[in-house]
Amino acid sequence: MDIIEGLLQGLEVALTWQNLLFVLLGVSVGMMVGVLPGLGPAPTVALLIPLTFSLEGPTAIILLAGVYYGAMYGGTITSVLLRIPGEAASVVSTVDGHAMARKGQAGKALGLAAIGSFVGGLFATIVLILFSPILAEFALGFGSPEYAVLALLGLVLVAYTSAGSIVKSLIAVGIGLLIASVGPDPILYSSRWSLGVPDLIGGFDIVAIIMGVFGLSEVLVNISGSRHRQSMIQSIGRVLPTGRDLIENAAPIARGSLIGTGLGLVPGGGGVLASLASFGVERRLAKDPSLFGHGAPQAVSGPETANNAASISTFIPLLTLGFPPNGVLAVIFGALLIQGVTPGPTLITERPDIFWGVVVSMVIGNVVLLVMNIPLLPVFVRIAQIPPAIMATITVAILVVGAFSINGNTFDVGVMVAAGLVGFGLRRLGIPPAPLVLAFILGPLFETNFRRSLILSEGDPTVFLSSPTCIALVAVLGVVALTSAVPQIRKARTRIESEA
């Protein structure tokens, strides 16, 4: 199937009244999620998974994807008006965006962010359309050794690029691998670590883990800490940027599109990493870097473009390789499995309705977001004032009902609660929870292909260097390992020398 034929099929899927309705619902919920400080797209997508049980595959993923990239738009509103990031990727905009708002330029900041987000999302979608079929066709030649090395590289990159120190990220990865080892052996199919509990024979349900680690832990973090809301900026001003504003911010938006699309492909990356990288680039290229922190428009347009582009490009490794590059995509990965769909190189050929339907819906969703963002701005501002206690009560109720509906038993509710407590404990210790979920997904993939490769090669470890792809992946793995180890060694040496 060529690209034109695929896009036509995607239009046929995305333009049905049901899918158009769920595009609108997804991006609207995403906007509200971005506006509500502390909720975030990952917990919300996890909350919505039970809703997808009764939906068709394309419709379910269209809904969840809309929530994800819609949240990138909404997070800017509270960042600019309240100096509270509604979503983690919008934290960069709290500085210059709020400084612009205090100068009476809140509308300009929000308008530039909306247009930049639209351009970034559209650019990343075009890249998704052009390169995903090529990458999927290339990945069809992967065998067990290639997948084993790729999964290991993904685990290392998750630890290397996640928030917090590498050691803390590795702790989260280790916990995820330990939890993933419970259940049937992937080669021998014998039960492992079930402790005589019948419900553990099949292992932990990925949806229950996701809902707990992302959903419940987020609620616990929010209610355990005090969030002081600053006063609302009363005057928003002109929202539509002038022609001069667009010309001055064209280069930052273009660079943000490239940076976000590229970093969205990196396991562990996503909107946060992309927005920070864009901010750094714009500050380095600025004629007067001293303006940054005091209301520089390019410090808003560039990062906001980057985080939305990254939210779209993260779907490339998920849909073509079966690798979720961040926590939100791990949740969507679970939703695909519930639909009986395994993401990977064969998805485009076996389920073109899902792949092309989701891709076309992203274009429609970004247009809808651009149209909605300006006239509905006052509505979303009011949503930001909903008391956290009310949101926490509603969220916990949805989590319990959703966990019970997975298999119709209370064991999954207990797993969700336990996962939530683990996620909360990790957050309190400064350990990011996302690597745990990603390791839970990538761990079995690595173990299965690693053991299968050794069985087929009769224990010869050189099987992992048996193809150019394997050699290239091992080389990248070595570079990443050295890049992460050298700074740690230097710090340790400096500490020893200072103590001496």
Side-chain angles (χ1 to χ4, degrees):
M1 177 182 292
D2 59 20
I3 292 176
I4 302 299
E5 185 179 350
L7 288 174
L8 291 175
Q9 182 172 358
L11 283 169
E12 184 179 352
V13 172
L15 293 180
T16 63
W17 72 266
Q18 183 181 20
N19 287 336
L20 285 174
L21 177 63
F22 277 95
V23 167
L24 178 61
L25 176 63
V27 297
S28 300
V29 171
M31 283 279 288
M32 289 187 287
V33 167
V35 166
L36 291 169
L39 190 54
T44 306
V45 172
L47 284 172
L48 292 176
I49 284 183
L51 177 63
T52 65
F53 293 168
S54 59
L55 298 178
E56 296 181 357
T59 306
I61 307 307
I62 284 171
L63 170 66
L64 300 182
V67 173
Y68 182 28
Y69 58 81
M72 298 301 167
Y73 275 76
T76 314
I77 296 174
T78 50
S79 295
V80 172
L81 300 181
L82 297 174
R83 206 178 183 181
I84 299 175
E87 205 282 319
S90 297
V91 68
V92 176
S93 301
T94 58
V95 181
D96 288 271
H98 190 68
M100 291 179 66
R102 295 184 69 85
K103 295 178 181 178
Q105 299 177 347
K108 177 180 177 180
L110 294 171
L112 287 173
I115 293 174
S117 296
F118 171 75
V119 173
L122 188 61
F123 177 81
T125 305
I126 293 173
V127 172
L128 175 63
I129 292 170
L130 295 178
F131 291 99
S132 288
I134 299 174
L135 183 59
E137 186 176 353
F138 172 71
L140 286 173
F142 280 20
S144 294
E146 286 82 2
Y147 271 112
V149 179
L150 186 61
L152 180 60
L153 176 61
L155 290 170
V156 173
L157 283 172
V158 163
Y160 180 64
T161 58
S162 294
S165 68
I166 296 177
V167 174
K168 291 182 177 180
S169 296
L170 286 174
I171 291 174
V173 168
I175 296 173
L177 293 176
L178 181 64
I179 296 174
S181 66
V182 178
D185 185 290
I187 302 297
L188 303 176
Y189 298 102
S190 58
S191 179
R192 301 186 303 188
W193 308 106
S194 62
L195 304 176
V197 180
D199 289 305
L200 287 179
I201 294 177
F204 293 107
D205 192 281
I206 183 174
V207 178
I209 296 293
I210 286 171
M211 293 178 74
V213 170
F214 287 120
L216 185 59
S217 70
E218 193 75 28
V219 174
L220 295 175
V221 168
N222 290 336
I223 63 177
S224 65
S226 59
R227 293 180 177 269
H228 300 287
R229 300 196 175 187
Q230 302 183 16
S231 59
M232 177 73 65
I233 299 294
Q234 297 298 324
S235 177
I236 294 177
R238 177 189 173 95
V239 177
L240 289 175
T242 64
R244 182 175 180 180
D245 293 332
L246 294 176
I247 292 173
E248 291 176 349
N249 288 273
I253 289 174
R255 287 190 290 264
S257 299
L258 292 170
I259 292 171
T261 302
L263 291 180
L265 305 175
V266 178
V272 179
L273 184 62
S275 60
L276 288 171
S278 175
F279 179 84
V281 169
E282 295 308 319
R283 186 171 185 175
R284 182 175 294 273
L285 296 177
K287 295 179 180 179
D288 187 3
S290 64
L291 294 177
F292 280 67
H294 303 284
Q298 63 266 41
V300 177
S301 60
E304 289 299 326
T305 301
N307 70 42
N308 206 68
S311 70
I312 300 294
S313 67
T314 51
F315 282 86
I316 297 177
L318 172 70
L319 298 178
T320 59
L321 300 177
F323 276 71
N326 59 36
V328 184
L329 271 295
V331 183
I332 296 177
F333 179 90
L336 281 166
L337 295 180
I338 290 173
Q339 295 290 333
V341 178
T342 302
T346 60
L347 178 66
I348 297 178
T349 55
E350 294 180 356
R351 293 300 304 271
D353 57 329
I354 288 183
F355 179 83
W356 292 108
V358 170
V359 168
V360 173
S361 76
M362 288 177 176
V363 178
I364 298 173
N366 273 280
V367 174
V368 171
L369 282 167
L370 182 63
V371 173
M372 287 174 52
N373 195 60
I374 295 172
L376 294 182
L377 183 59
V379 177
F380 291 118
V381 168
R382 295 289 172 250
I383 292 174
Q385 305 304 308
I386 295 178
I390 296 177
M391 289 303 305
T393 303
I394 296 173
T395 302
V396 171
I398 295 174
L399 284 169
V400 172
V401 173
F404 181 80
S405 64
I406 296 172
N407 295 306
N409 61 39
T410 56
F411 179 78
D412 289 320
V413 178
V415 171
M416 185 272 294
V417 173
L421 294 175
V422 170
F424 175 68
L426 293 178
R427 289 169 185 253
R428 292 299 297 266
L429 295 173
I431 300 174
L436 184 156
V437 175
L438 292 169
F440 183 80
I441 294 172
L442 295 179
L445 182 64
F446 168 72
E447 181 189 3
T448 302
N449 288 285
F450 180 78
R451 292 173 61 183
R452 186 178 294 157
S453 299
L454 291 179
I455 291 172
L456 294 175
S457 65
E458 298 181 350
D460 184 4
T462 60
V463 68
F464 300 108
L465 298 173
S466 58
S467 70
T469 302
C470 278
I471 295 173
L473 292 173
V474 169
V476 174
L477 180 62
V479 171
V480 172
L482 287 175
T483 304
S484 59
V486 169
Q488 302 298 323
I489 295 173
R490 288 179 177 174
K491 288 181 181 179
R493 181 180 298 176
T494 302
R495 185 173 62 251
I496 294 172
E497 290 177 353
S498 63
E499 291 176 354

PDB file of all heavy atoms in Angstrom, residues 418-436:
ATOM      1  N   ALA A 418      -1.634  -0.965  44.844  1.00  0.00           N
ATOM      2  CA  ALA A 418      -0.238  -1.228  45.197  1.00  0.00           C
ATOM      3  C   ALA A 418       0.712  -0.493  44.250  1.00  0.00           C
ATOM      4  O   ALA A 418       1.715   0.097  44.682  1.00  0.00           O
ATOM      5  CB  ALA A 418       0.032  -2.729  45.161  1.00  0.00           C
ATOM      6  N   ALA A 419       0.387  -0.517  42.954  1.00  0.00           N
ATOM      7  CA  ALA A 419       1.227   0.194  41.986  1.00  0.00           C
ATOM      8  C   ALA A 419       1.207   1.686  42.241  1.00  0.00           C
ATOM      9  O   ALA A 419       2.222   2.377  42.091  1.00  0.00           O
ATOM     10  CB  ALA A 419       0.754  -0.110  40.561  1.00  0.00           C
ATOM     11  N   GLY A 420       0.040   2.206  42.651  1.00  0.00           N
ATOM     12  CA  GLY A 420      -0.051   3.629  42.966  1.00  0.00           C
ATOM     13  C   GLY A 420       0.806   4.001  44.162  1.00  0.00           C
ATOM     14  O   GLY A 420       1.480   5.040  44.161  1.00  0.00           O
ATOM     15  N   LEU A 421       0.812   3.152  45.194  1.00  0.00           N
ATOM     16  CA  LEU A 421       1.640   3.413  46.372  1.00  0.00           C
ATOM     17  C   LEU A 421       3.126   3.334  46.029  1.00  0.00           C
ATOM     18  O   LEU A 421       3.931   4.135  46.516  1.00  0.00           O
ATOM     19  CB  LEU A 421       1.295   2.412  47.481  1.00  0.00           C
ATOM     20  CG  LEU A 421      -0.122   2.539  48.069  1.00  0.00           C
ATOM     21  CD1 LEU A 421      -0.394   1.412  49.063  1.00  0.00           C
ATOM     22  CD2 LEU A 421      -0.303   3.899  48.737  1.00  0.00           C
ATOM     23  N   VAL A 422       3.480   2.360  45.173  1.00  0.00           N
ATOM     24  CA  VAL A 422       4.873   2.268  44.728  1.00  0.00           C
ATOM     25  C   VAL A 422       5.273   3.512  43.942  1.00  0.00           C
ATOM     26  O   VAL A 422       6.337   4.096  44.156  1.00  0.00           O
ATOM     27  CB  VAL A 422       5.096   0.993  43.881  1.00  0.00           C
ATOM     28  CG1 VAL A 422       6.472   1.011  43.220  1.00  0.00           C
ATOM     29  CG2 VAL A 422       4.945  -0.252  44.739  1.00  0.00           C
ATOM     30  N   GLY A 423       4.401   3.921  43.014  1.00  0.00           N
ATOM     31  CA  GLY A 423       4.684   5.123  42.232  1.00  0.00           C
ATOM     32  C   GLY A 423       4.800   6.361  43.097  1.00  0.00           C
ATOM     33  O   GLY A 423       5.683   7.205  42.886  1.00  0.00           O
ATOM     34  N   PHE A 424       3.923   6.462  44.117  1.00  0.00           N
ATOM     35  CA  PHE A 424       3.979   7.600  45.035  1.00  0.00           C
ATOM     36  C   PHE A 424       5.277   7.592  45.829  1.00  0.00           C
ATOM     37  O   PHE A 424       5.933   8.634  45.990  1.00  0.00           O
ATOM     38  CB  PHE A 424       2.781   7.545  45.986  1.00  0.00           C
ATOM     39  CG  PHE A 424       2.805   8.600  47.060  1.00  0.00           C
ATOM     40  CD1 PHE A 424       2.642   9.934  46.744  1.00  0.00           C
ATOM     41  CD2 PHE A 424       2.999   8.240  48.384  1.00  0.00           C
ATOM     42  CE1 PHE A 424       2.663  10.910  47.735  1.00  0.00           C
ATOM     43  CE2 PHE A 424       3.022   9.203  49.378  1.00  0.00           C
ATOM     44  CZ  PHE A 424       2.849  10.536  49.060  1.00  0.00           C
ATOM     45  N   GLY A 425       5.676   6.394  46.310  1.00  0.00           N
ATOM     46  CA  GLY A 425       6.934   6.302  47.044  1.00  0.00           C
ATOM     47  C   GLY A 425       8.138   6.678  46.193  1.00  0.00           C
ATOM     48  O   GLY A 425       9.058   7.359  46.663  1.00  0.00           O
ATOM     49  N   LEU A 426       8.131   6.246  44.950  1.00  0.00           N
ATOM     50  CA  LEU A 426       9.229   6.590  44.046  1.00  0.00           C
ATOM     51  C   LEU A 426       9.306   8.096  43.833  1.00  0.00           C
ATOM     52  O   LEU A 426      10.392   8.686  43.846  1.00  0.00           O
ATOM     53  CB  LEU A 426       9.052   5.881  42.701  1.00  0.00           C
ATOM     54  CG  LEU A 426       9.188   4.354  42.697  1.00  0.00           C
ATOM     55  CD1 LEU A 426       8.923   3.805  41.293  1.00  0.00           C
ATOM     56  CD2 LEU A 426      10.571   3.926  43.167  1.00  0.00           C
ATOM     57  N   ARG A 427       8.158   8.729  43.636  1.00  0.00           N
ATOM     58  CA  ARG A 427       8.143  10.180  43.419  1.00  0.00           C
ATOM     59  C   ARG A 427       8.662  10.921  44.637  1.00  0.00           C
ATOM     60  O   ARG A 427       9.383  11.916  44.513  1.00  0.00           O
ATOM     61  CB  ARG A 427       6.725  10.651  43.081  1.00  0.00           C
ATOM     62  CG  ARG A 427       6.240  10.220  41.704  1.00  0.00           C
ATOM     63  CD  ARG A 427       4.743  10.493  41.578  1.00  0.00           C
ATOM     64  NE  ARG A 427       4.206  10.000  40.317  1.00  0.00           N
ATOM     65  CZ  ARG A 427       3.843  10.766  39.307  1.00  0.00           C
ATOM     66  NH1 ARG A 427       3.986  12.067  39.387  1.00  0.00           N
ATOM     67  NH2 ARG A 427       3.341  10.242  38.208  1.00  0.00           N
ATOM     68  N   ARG A 428       8.279  10.468  45.828  1.00  0.00           N
ATOM     69  CA  ARG A 428       8.749  11.130  47.039  1.00  0.00           C
ATOM     70  C   ARG A 428      10.261  10.993  47.207  1.00  0.00           C
ATOM     71  O   ARG A 428      10.916  11.849  47.824  1.00  0.00           O
ATOM     72  CB  ARG A 428       8.043  10.535  48.271  1.00  0.00           C
ATOM     73  CG  ARG A 428       6.561  10.837  48.337  1.00  0.00           C
ATOM     74  CD  ARG A 428       6.276  12.328  48.410  1.00  0.00           C
ATOM     75  NE  ARG A 428       6.802  12.932  49.615  1.00  0.00           N
ATOM     76  CZ  ARG A 428       6.115  13.116  50.732  1.00  0.00           C
ATOM     77  NH1 ARG A 428       4.844  12.723  50.792  1.00  0.00           N
ATOM     78  NH2 ARG A 428       6.667  13.684  51.779  1.00  0.00           N
ATOM     79  N   LEU A 429      10.821   9.925  46.656  1.00  0.00           N
ATOM     80  CA  LEU A 429      12.266   9.713  46.715  1.00  0.00           C
ATOM     81  C   LEU A 429      12.996  10.355  45.541  1.00  0.00           C
ATOM     82  O   LEU A 429      14.214  10.214  45.424  1.00  0.00           O
ATOM     83  CB  LEU A 429      12.572   8.210  46.755  1.00  0.00           C
ATOM     84  CG  LEU A 429      12.087   7.451  47.990  1.00  0.00           C
ATOM     85  CD1 LEU A 429      12.295   5.954  47.808  1.00  0.00           C
ATOM     86  CD2 LEU A 429      12.821   7.939  49.241  1.00  0.00           C
ATOM     87  N   GLY A 430      12.244  11.036  44.676  1.00  0.00           N
ATOM     88  CA  GLY A 430      12.865  11.670  43.523  1.00  0.00           C
ATOM     89  C   GLY A 430      13.173  10.721  42.386  1.00  0.00           C
ATOM     90  O   GLY A 430      13.989  11.024  41.515  1.00  0.00           O
ATOM     91  N   ILE A 431      12.523   9.553  42.393  1.00  0.00           N
ATOM     92  CA  ILE A 431      12.746   8.550  41.339  1.00  0.00           C
ATOM     93  C   ILE A 431      11.617   8.641  40.328  1.00  0.00           C
ATOM     94  O   ILE A 431      10.440   8.505  40.701  1.00  0.00           O
ATOM     95  CB  ILE A 431      12.811   7.132  41.934  1.00  0.00           C
ATOM     96  CG1 ILE A 431      13.954   7.031  42.944  1.00  0.00           C
ATOM     97  CG2 ILE A 431      12.976   6.083  40.838  1.00  0.00           C
ATOM     98  CD1 ILE A 431      13.998   5.706  43.681  1.00  0.00           C
ATOM     99  N   PRO A 432      11.893   8.887  39.053  1.00  0.00           N
ATOM    100  CA  PRO A 432      10.818   9.002  38.055  1.00  0.00           C
ATOM    101  C   PRO A 432      10.113   7.666  37.850  1.00  0.00           C
ATOM    102  O   PRO A 432      10.777   6.624  37.715  1.00  0.00           O
ATOM    103  CB  PRO A 432      11.557   9.448  36.791  1.00  0.00           C
ATOM    104  CG  PRO A 432      12.960   8.966  36.977  1.00  0.00           C
ATOM    105  CD  PRO A 432      13.229   9.033  38.456  1.00  0.00           C
ATOM    106  N   PRO A 433       8.774   7.651  37.830  1.00  0.00           N
ATOM    107  CA  PRO A 433       8.048   6.382  37.677  1.00  0.00           C
ATOM    108  C   PRO A 433       7.947   5.881  36.243  1.00  0.00           C
ATOM    109  O   PRO A 433       7.713   4.696  36.021  1.00  0.00           O
ATOM    110  CB  PRO A 433       6.664   6.714  38.231  1.00  0.00           C
ATOM    111  CG  PRO A 433       6.499   8.170  37.971  1.00  0.00           C
ATOM    112  CD  PRO A 433       7.865   8.785  38.079  1.00  0.00           C
ATOM    113  N   ALA A 434       8.096   6.770  35.267  1.00  0.00           N
ATOM    114  CA  ALA A 434       7.923   6.345  33.869  1.00  0.00           C
ATOM    115  C   ALA A 434       8.875   5.215  33.464  1.00  0.00           C
ATOM    116  O   ALA A 434       8.451   4.283  32.764  1.00  0.00           O
ATOM    117  CB  ALA A 434       8.088   7.545  32.938  1.00  0.00           C
ATOM    118  N   PRO A 435      10.176   5.241  33.859  1.00  0.00           N
ATOM    119  CA  PRO A 435      11.049   4.118  33.484  1.00  0.00           C
ATOM    120  C   PRO A 435      10.558   2.768  34.002  1.00  0.00           C
ATOM    121  O   PRO A 435      10.816   1.741  33.378  1.00  0.00           O
ATOM    122  CB  PRO A 435      12.391   4.494  34.127  1.00  0.00           C
ATOM    123  CG  PRO A 435      12.374   5.977  34.196  1.00  0.00           C
ATOM    124  CD  PRO A 435      10.936   6.333  34.484  1.00  0.00           C
ATOM    125  N   LEU A 436       9.834   2.768  35.134  1.00  0.00           N
ATOM    126  CA  LEU A 436       9.296   1.505  35.650  1.00  0.00           C
ATOM    127  C   LEU A 436       8.320   0.894  34.650  1.00  0.00           C
ATOM    128  O   LEU A 436       8.411  -0.301  34.330  1.00  0.00           O
ATOM    129  CB  LEU A 436       8.615   1.763  36.999  1.00  0.00           C
ATOM    130  CG  LEU A 436       8.068   0.561  37.773  1.00  0.00           C
ATOM    131  CD1 LEU A 436       7.991   0.882  39.265  1.00  0.00           C
ATOM    132  CD2 LEU A 436       6.649   0.158  37.301  1.00  0.00           C
TER     133      LEU A 436
END
